Amino acid sequence: MKTASDIGEHLYSLMKPHNIQYFMSLKYNIMDKGKINRARLDKLYNIDEVRKTHLNIRNFLKEAFGDIIIFFFIEQNEAYHSGDIICNGHYHTHILLNIENFNTIKPSAFLRRTLNKTAFVYFIDDYKKPYKVFYKDCDNITDKAIFAIKAVLSRLEWCKDYKKAVDVRKVYDLRNLLTKEDKEDTDGGYLLKQIKNMGIDKIIDYKNSNYTK
């Protein structure tokens, strides 16, 4: 029987040639004008609805950046108590992404319109505290790319008006996100940590990602 680390190593072998650059976490907004949006929350309990928004994400990113390589992972929030009832948590999304050609000189029309409409985005520090960043203050290509990604994804209905909705980080150790050094460890790396509870076919969105089983 394959361990989570074995599966992680297999995924790593599939992704490594694609030079993955960015790791994203999307915590979808369940609030609307200070109240829980029940219709949206119901969709976030439905894994098929989450995968539908993955298609929207993929389309947005392709329109903004052209050729992309993208891998989607699904995580379930922790269960919580509502009185005497234990409620399962809703889903959120992690993404591994490679932008083939990020062009700051001649951006696509879609990206240009997005950047023109976006005064600032929120970056998230190591203490999970959001802070404003303006495009003019991004002094290197990585920060400009992260700004552009966040600006594009912040247009999605589920990500609007929530400072912590989109967190984007540079990938420095892809293997560490997928596996652990101890092959006998029953937990995988960060992206596969729920494999025992959810199973690999729930965690991975094969249809919208750039690999097959």
Side-chain angles (χ1 to χ4, degrees), residues 123-138:
F123 279 42
I124 300 172
D125 65 21
D126 292 336
Y127 300 97
K128 298 184 179 180
K129 183 178 179 180
Y131 61 97
K132 288 182 181 179
V133 173
F134 294 83
Y135 189 74
K136 64 181 177 60
D137 295 328
C138 295

Side-chain angles (χ1 to χ4, degrees), residues 40 92 120 137 157 185 199 203:
R40 184 180 301 159
H92 63 273
F120 60 84
D137 295 328
E157 185 63 32
D185 198 322
I203 288 176

